[in-house]
């Protein structure tokens, strides 16, 4: 399969979000990536259920909801009802990640587990058999526009090995500092889904940038 492109709406124009979603609907983007921040797990606050519901009503693309929140199990059902197709939770933010993953899947959504740059991959080894996706943060979560952390490539390799041994169908997503310079190397290293924010929305031609990412070699 070709790489999936998931534009991060955290970098969109929130005064004209409908226009940006309509642009993404016309684009080759596969998923829309929605970062939910609580101001506790990360030092920033983004958006919640009402925004996701509005976006759900404006697109047929997959909504990839990334929960940067403490104790996400409190809200999983509400995010699913708001329109999330994929729900990803941080290994560092859950009391019981395995139980939370099972709840997500029982709600009919795909489940992702997320690890921060400083989190070793062995933390998620017992979850690989239960998840649909591993999201590897290639920046420190909470802010857009950060530089890509080069050590991410070693982490991708380790996760790829773990997946191949335990559950080969699991997808790898990378979020943070993804651009046209590193996208090709990321795909070659085994990444299935590229999340890109500023690279797309700060581009003079977002449709062309998405096209280039989608067809990276």
């Amino acid at each position: 399969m070709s790489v999936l492109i998931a534009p991060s709406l955290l970098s969109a124009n929130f005064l004209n979000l409908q226009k940006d979603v309509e642009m993404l609907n016309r684009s080759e983007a596969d998923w829309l990536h929605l970062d939910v921040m609580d101001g506790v797990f990360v030092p920033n606050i983004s958006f919640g259920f009402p925004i996701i519901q509005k976006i759900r009503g404006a697109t047929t693309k997959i909504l990839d909801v990334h929960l940067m929140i403490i104790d996400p199990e409190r809200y999983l059902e509400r995010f699913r009802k708001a329109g999330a197709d994929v729900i990803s939770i941080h290994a560092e933010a859950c009391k019981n990640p395995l139980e939370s993953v099972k709840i997500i899947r029982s709600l009919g959504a795909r489940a992702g587990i997320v690890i921060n740059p400083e989190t070793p991959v062995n933390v998620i080894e017992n979850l690989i058999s239960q998840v649909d996706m591993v999201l590897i943060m290639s920046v420190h979560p909470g802010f857009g526009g950060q530089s890509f952390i080069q050590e991410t490539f070693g982490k991708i390799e380790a996760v790829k090995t773990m997946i191949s041994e335990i559950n080969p169908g699991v997808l790898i997503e990378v979020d943070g500092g993804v651009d046209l310079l590193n996208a090709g190397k990321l795909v070659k290293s085994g990444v299935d889904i590229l999340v890109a924010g500023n690279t797309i929305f700060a581009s003079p031609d977002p449709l062309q940038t998405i096209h280039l990412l989608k067809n990276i070699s």
Side-chain angles (χ1 to χ4, degrees), residues 11-138:
S11 298
N13 179 359
F14 276 82
L15 283 179
N16 208 338
L17 191 54
Q18 183 174 351
K19 181 180 177 183
D20 278 350
V21 172
E22 289 172 352
M23 178 273 292
L24 294 175
N25 285 341
R26 299 192 306 273
S27 78
E28 294 174 70
D30 302 280
W31 295 8
L32 304 188
H33 188 81
L34 307 178
D35 289 304
V36 177
M37 305 178 185
D38 64 359
V40 180
F41 181 63
V42 292
N44 211 341
I45 296 173
S46 58
F47 50 79
F49 309 112
I51 298 292
I52 294 172
Q53 286 174 322
K54 292 294 186 184
I55 294 170
R56 175 73 287 163
T59 188
T60 58
K61 293 185 186 282
I62 289 172
L63 296 191
D64 175 29
V65 177
H66 173 195
L67 301 182
M68 302 187 202
I69 66 176
I70 291 290
D71 300 333
E73 59 276 2
R74 296 173 294 168
Y75 302 109
L76 297 174
E77 187 172 357
R78 290 184 67 188
F79 280 111
R80 176 62 175 152
K81 285 182 176 177
D85 298 298
V86 183
I87 301 175
S88 296
I89 57 174
H90 274 261
E92 307 90 353
C94 295
K95 290 186 176 75
N96 188 333
L98 184 57
E99 186 61 30
S100 295
V101 162
K102 289 178 179 178
I103 292 170
I104 293 169
R105 298 189 80 177
S106 75
L107 293 169
R110 283 183 261 185
I113 191 70
V114 193
I115 50 173
N116 283 340
E118 64 275 9
T119 302
V121 299
N122 63 352
V123 166
I124 61 169
E125 187 169 5
N126 70 318
L127 299 168
I128 296 296
S129 64
Q130 300 296 320
V131 298
D132 301 285
M133 182 178 79
V134 174
L135 170 50
I136 300 171
M137 293 301 300
S138 44

Side-chain angles (χ1 to χ4, degrees), residues 117-188:
E118 64 275 9
T119 302
V121 299
N122 63 352
V123 166
I124 61 169
E125 187 169 5
N126 70 318
L127 299 168
I128 296 296
S129 64
Q130 300 296 320
V131 298
D132 301 285
M133 182 178 79
V134 174
L135 170 50
I136 300 171
M137 293 301 300
S138 44
V139 298
H140 297 285
F143 299 95
Q146 297 180 64
S147 297
F148 182 88
I149 296 171
Q150 292 299 320
E151 288 76 11
T152 303
F153 287 106
K155 186 167 282 189
I156 294 167
E157 184 178 351
V159 170
K160 192 75 178 174
T161 299
M162 193 183 295
I163 287 171
S164 66
E165 293 172 351
I166 301 171
N167 188 4
V170 173
L171 301 177
I172 295 178
E173 182 174 51
V174 168
D175 180 4
V178 173
D179 58 28
L180 292 169
L181 297 176
N182 59 28
K185 186 176 179 182
L186 285 166
V187 173
K188 285 185 176 70

